[in-house]
């Protein structure tokens, strides 16, 4: 039986009527002939005919906002036919699929003034036991058509009315989470949605519960402290998000709207501590996927028969696509400026390469061109950035980050990147590093000392020999309380815009010039403020590289061509950082 309310449970929503019927009084019900129920007592549910399953019903002058219910195949009612402790399940019903009203039939001829009624879902085979499921499927937005399989239950007293029928109002005794994730911060593309939800708590959420006469539920066997909700198709598991490609999902609207993506989860009523809800978000167009987690402090009380409504406003790291630059180009003269519609972001934006819209890699007149004047000197001032990268980390600081920053590879960290028309797409994967301030404290050095010398004691701002540092990442996951931990910073794998070169030992820029999509989620290049001391065309960048084929994840600092398009490496890439390629 399905009866969930989105913001206010409608008690007394069910009015089922029982009537003792002879075969002469029964005509054709549910497509079956009266002979099918010959000699049986008929219990008739005469609820409102306007009810539909899983449809959000907005508040009106006659009823509050709610999600209506219906009877589904497998639903049974239990009736205390003897007045003792024994309940009997109906022998037949006329439920052929999903119906708003139904008739239930008992072989006994029942004539008492009232009867105790119970509903214990479709999984339990007992009138006093309810089974709360660890996995719960939903077939449509706001749909409650399967909750009878997952722990929905209730009690009632049926009383005889003037028409010699029995009516009852079912009091629901399960608890319900009604989730409506949305985002007023990000304008998500229609390809972004919720694939699954993981609910965990210190207390048991699943298992078998005993239901007393007053409907109170008592734990009998506990199976787990997590409920997995999924949309239409089963999930492969919390750590197997790459297997969710191509599977259905619910959208993420700009405002809370249960009719668009209402999620209904059944659980035992009670008080829960350390309750957390993880939303698995996916974006098939970008390939991005990962978890958005919300933890609740203190105690969360879920009352029997009342839905606990949560409208979660999703807020992610959001990065501006216009923060890719050639090395130390003029401020605000980003790589694709004036040609934003030609910028490839998504894997499907280009079949192979883009041949227009970017700055000429050998030209000097385009305002987007790199700084030609700095580099290839033996002085710090002669090799440092003066414009867009002037406040970035220098090469020595980047080396401290790589060698002493305890890098951690995080494949499920989500972030958004603005696309055309300010629409956001999801991406995931990046690396957590200790901040320079934390590294300095751990190493017993000042921040100024990190600027002056690399970990090996050399100053690569003026040393013509390139650093040979390539650190394999051995840690995976993220630091404790990473989002609020001031000791760490996150660098997303934002990719970079590199030009295609000819093959062979003397590789040259291929003409016409060609650029591919930036491989966001797999690699990254971040400009430092340091041009190379040994070359006028090179500058140092922090490089993040991954290869799923050989299961390799590395970070390094390399000398690369100034004409490539990278974001800029700042000490704090968070909200208060000086760069624009940061959290929105």
């Amino acid at each position: 039986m399905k009866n969930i309310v989105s913001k206010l449970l409608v008690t007394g929503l069910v009015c089922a009527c029982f009537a003792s019927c002879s075969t002469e009084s029964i005509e054709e019900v549910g497509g079956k002939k009266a002979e099918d129920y010959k000699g049986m007592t008929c219990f008739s549910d005469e609820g409102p005919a306007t009810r539909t399953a899983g449809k959000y019903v907005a508040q009106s002058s006659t009823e509050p906002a709610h999600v209506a219910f219906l009877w589904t195949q497998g639903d049974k009612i239990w009736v205390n036919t003897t007045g003792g402790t024994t309940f009997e399940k109906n022998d037949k019903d006329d439920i052929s699929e999903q119906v708003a009203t139904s008739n239930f039939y008992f072989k006994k001829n029942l004539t008492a003034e009232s009867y105790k009624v119970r509903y214990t879902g479709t999984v339990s085979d007992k009138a006093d036991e309810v089974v709360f499921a660890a996995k719960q499927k939903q077939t449509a937005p706001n749909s409650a058509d399967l909750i009878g399989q997952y722990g929905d239950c209730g009690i009632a007293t049926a009383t005889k009315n003037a028409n010699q029928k029995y009516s009852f109002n079912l009091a629901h005794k399960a608890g319900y989470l009604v989730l409506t994730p949305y985002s007023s911060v990000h304008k998500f593309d229609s390809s972004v949605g919720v694939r699954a939800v993981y609910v965990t708590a210190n207390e048991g959420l699943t298992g078998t519960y005993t239901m007393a006469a007053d409907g109170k539920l008592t734990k009998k066997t506990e199976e787990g402290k997590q409920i997995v909700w999924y949309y239409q198709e089963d999930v492969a598991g919390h750590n197997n998000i790459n297997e969710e490609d191509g599977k259905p999902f619910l959208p993420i609207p700009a405002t809370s709207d249960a009719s668009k993506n209402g999620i209904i989860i059944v659980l035992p009523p009670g008080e829960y501590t350390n309750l957390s809800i993880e939303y698995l978000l996916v974006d098939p167009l970008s390939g991005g996927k990962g978890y958005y987690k919300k933890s609740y402090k203190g105690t969360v009380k879920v009352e029997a028969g009342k839905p606990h409504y949560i409208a979660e406003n999703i807020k992610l790291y959001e990065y501006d696509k216009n923060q890719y630059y050639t090395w130390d180009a003029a401020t605000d003269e980003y790589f694709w400026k004036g040609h934003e519609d030609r910028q490839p972001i998504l894997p499907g934006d280009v079949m192979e390469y883009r041949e227009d819209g970017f700055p000429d890699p050998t030209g000097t007149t385009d305002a987007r061109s790199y700084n030609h004047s700095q580099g290839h000197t033996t002085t710090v001032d002669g090799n440092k950035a003066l414009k867009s990268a002037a406040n970035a980390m220098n090469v020595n600081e980047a080396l401290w980050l790589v060698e002493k920053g305890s890098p951690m590879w995080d494949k499920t960290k989500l972030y958004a990147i603005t696309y055309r028309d300010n629409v956001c797409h999801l991406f995931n994967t990046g690396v957590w590093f200790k901040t320079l301030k934390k590294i300095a404290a751990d190493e017993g050095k000042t921040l100024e000392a990190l600027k002056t010398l690399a970990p090996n004691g050399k100053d690569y701002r003026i040393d013509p020999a390139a650093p040979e540092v390539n650190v394999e990442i051995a840690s995976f996951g993220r630091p404790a309380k990473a989002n609020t931990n001031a000791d760490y910073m996150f660098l997303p794998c934002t990719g970079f815009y590199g030009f295609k070169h000819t093959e062979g030992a003397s590789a040259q820029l291929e003409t016409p010039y060609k650029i591919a999509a930036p491989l966001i989620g797999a690699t990254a290049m971040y400009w430092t403020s340091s041009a190379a001391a040994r070359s006028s065309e090179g500058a140092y960048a922090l490089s993040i590289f991954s290869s799923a084929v050989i299961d390799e994840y590395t970070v390094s600092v390399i000398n690369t061509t100034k004409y490539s398009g990278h974001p800029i490496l700042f000490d704090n890439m968070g909200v208060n950082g000086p760069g624009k390629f940061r959290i929105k």
Side-chain angles (χ1 to χ4, degrees):
M1 178 180 292
K2 315 302 177 278
N3 186 8
I4 308 296
V5 181
S6 293
K7 293 186 178 178
L8 175 65
L9 187 73
V10 183
T11 57
L13 190 63
V14 182
C15 291
C17 299
F18 297 79
S20 179
C21 311
S22 68
T23 55
E24 289 79 15
S25 64
I26 302 177
E27 297 179 1
E28 184 170 320
V29 181
K32 296 182 179 180
K33 299 295 184 181
E35 292 80 29
D36 293 335
Y37 309 110
K38 185 176 182 180
M40 303 183 76
T41 301
C42 171
F43 292 72
S44 219
D45 168 16
E46 297 179 352
T50 56
R51 296 175 189 160
T52 56
K55 299 279 181 133
Y56 181 75
V57 181
Q59 183 174 345
S60 67
S61 59
T62 58
E63 60 181 351
H66 65 281
V67 175
F69 84 100
L70 61 97
W71 297 97
T72 60
Q73 284 185 312
D75 276 333
K76 303 293 181 182
I77 59 172
W78 299 84
V79 174
N80 185 345
T81 59
T82 62
T85 59
T86 302
F87 281 74
E88 295 185 40
K89 184 166 57 177
N90 61 286
D91 298 296
K92 287 187 177 183
D93 60 68
D94 62 2
I95 305 172
S96 58
E97 41 186 54
Q98 298 177 345
V99 292
T101 60
S102 178
N103 297 298
F104 299 89
Y105 299 90
F106 285 75
K107 293 179 179 179
K108 288 188 175 181
N109 183 24
L110 303 176
T111 59
E113 292 299 315
S114 65
Y115 293 99
K116 298 293 183 182
V117 179
R118 292 184 184 180
Y119 173 73
T120 58
T122 61
V123 174
S124 174
D125 60 356
K126 297 181 180 180
D128 61 350
E129 287 186 1
V130 179
V131 179
F132 290 94
K135 268 194 170 184
Q136 301 186 19
K137 173 183 177 180
Q138 191 166 314
T139 59
N142 240 1
S143 175
D145 62 345
L146 298 178
I147 63 173
Q149 300 177 25
Y150 305 140
D152 190 25
C153 59
I155 62 170
T157 299
T159 55
K160 186 187 296 185
N161 59 30
N163 296 324
Q164 301 301 303
K165 295 183 178 181
Y166 296 89
S167 301
F168 70 87
N169 293 325
L170 190 70
H172 285 260
K173 296 301 178 180
Y176 313 95
L177 290 180
V178 177
L179 312 177
T180 57
Y182 70 101
S183 183
S184 64
V185 177
H186 312 291
K187 183 182 176 183
F188 282 126
D189 188 80
S190 60
S191 68
V192 178
V194 180
R195 171 75 189 101
V197 175
Y198 291 79
V199 180
T200 59
N202 284 352
E203 296 74 23
L205 294 170
T206 66
T208 301
Y209 282 65
T210 300
M211 186 163 69
D214 60 358
K216 183 178 180 180
L217 295 167
T218 304
K219 185 190 307 178
K220 182 178 181 182
T221 62
E222 180 181 314
E223 296 178 2
K225 298 179 180 179
Q226 182 182 78
I227 294 175
V228 181
W229 172 96
Y230 60 91
Y231 189 62
Q232 293 186 351
E233 292 185 26
D234 201 356
V235 289
H238 190 276
N239 295 326
N240 299 318
I241 60 174
N242 287 333
E243 297 184 33
E244 301 308 316
D245 292 342
K247 293 184 179 180
F249 57 85
L250 288 173
I252 303 176
T255 59
S256 175
D257 189 342
S259 68
K260 292 182 178 179
N261 71 348
I263 295 168
I264 300 169
I265 298 173
V266 188
L267 72 167
E271 295 184 350
Y272 296 97
T273 56
N274 290 331
L275 180 72
S276 69
I277 301 176
E278 287 185 280
Y279 300 85
L280 175 55
L281 308 184
V282 297
D283 185 346
L285 286 185
S286 68
K289 59 185 77 69
Y291 291 102
Y292 179 86
K293 183 176 181 180
K294 179 69 175 182
S295 299
Y296 298 88
K297 297 179 179 179
T299 300
V300 175
K301 185 176 182 180
V302 178
E303 298 184 56
K306 297 180 179 180
H308 191 85
Y309 189 86
I310 298 176
E312 181 60 36
N313 192 3
I314 294 175
K315 301 176 183 179
L316 302 173
Y317 282 27
E318 182 177 323
Y319 297 105
D320 186 348
K321 71 182 179 68
N322 295 331
Q323 299 310 314
Y324 295 83
Y325 286 82
T326 59
W327 184 78
D328 200 35
T331 302
D332 292 330
E333 293 296 332
Y334 49 87
F335 200 79
W336 296 93
K337 187 173 183 179
H339 305 270
E340 288 83 357
D341 62 332
R342 303 299 294 158
Q343 179 179 5
I345 291 286
L346 302 176
D349 281 346
V350 289
M351 293 301 294
E352 290 185 343
Y353 298 98
R354 184 77 77 215
E355 297 185 6
D356 63 298
F358 44 77
D360 186 334
T362 60
T364 59
T365 59
D366 193 323
R368 299 172 294 166
S369 294
Y370 64 85
N371 187 332
H372 291 257
S373 66
Q374 297 299 97
H376 203 201
T377 76
T378 57
T379 67
V380 171
D381 287 345
N383 295 331
K384 71 178 182 181
L386 303 174
K387 296 179 279 189
S388 58
N391 295 320
M393 291 187 195
N394 68 30
V395 59
N396 295 328
E397 292 172 305
L399 285 165
W400 280 103
L401 207 68
V402 167
E403 295 187 59
K404 301 296 181 180
S406 301
M408 297 182 69
W409 184 267
D410 190 340
K411 72 175 183 178
T412 62
K413 178 65 178 177
L414 278 176
Y415 45 93
I417 294 181
T418 50
Y419 193 60
R420 299 175 191 128
D421 301 321
N422 291 320
V423 168
C424 285
H425 280 279
L426 285 184
F427 296 88
N428 62 288
T429 305
V431 180
W432 294 95
F433 294 91
K434 291 180 181 178
T435 62
L436 291 179
K437 183 177 180 181
K438 174 63 173 172
I439 293 171
D442 289 347
E443 300 297 322
K445 296 184 178 294
T446 64
L447 287 171
E448 187 61 30
L450 302 189
K451 292 178 181 289
T452 305
L453 296 174
N456 65 0
K458 294 184 177 183
D459 186 356
Y460 288 100
R461 295 176 298 175
I462 56 175
D463 195 319
E468 296 181 0
V469 176
N470 191 53
V471 176
E472 185 172 345
I473 299 176
S475 297
F476 299 86
R478 67 190 62 166
K481 299 181 179 179
N483 290 339
T484 57
N485 192 333
D487 291 336
Y488 289 86
M489 58 184 284
F490 179 73
L491 293 184
C493 286
T494 52
F496 63 95
Y497 293 103
F499 288 86
K500 187 179 181 183
H501 288 70
T502 59
E503 297 180 0
S506 58
Q508 302 292 323
L509 282 169
E510 186 174 302
T511 54
Y513 302 130
K514 298 179 176 67
I515 279 183
L519 297 178
I520 299 174
T523 64
M525 290 273 203
Y526 285 88
W527 286 127
T528 71
S529 62
S530 303
R534 68 176 182 175
S535 168
S536 61
E537 294 183 353
Y540 287 108
L542 185 150
S543 170
I544 300 172
F545 172 81
S546 70
S547 174
V549 176
I550 60 176
D551 197 28
E552 181 181 63
Y553 309 89
T554 60
V555 289
S556 59
V557 177
I558 64 171
N559 179 9
T560 187
T561 53
K562 289 181 179 179
Y563 50 69
S564 301
H566 308 169
I568 302 169
L569 179 64
F570 295 101
D571 182 20
N572 183 355
M573 299 296 284
V575 174
N576 298 318
K580 294 182 179 179
F581 197 79
R582 62 177 190 265
I583 305 172
K584 183 175 179 180

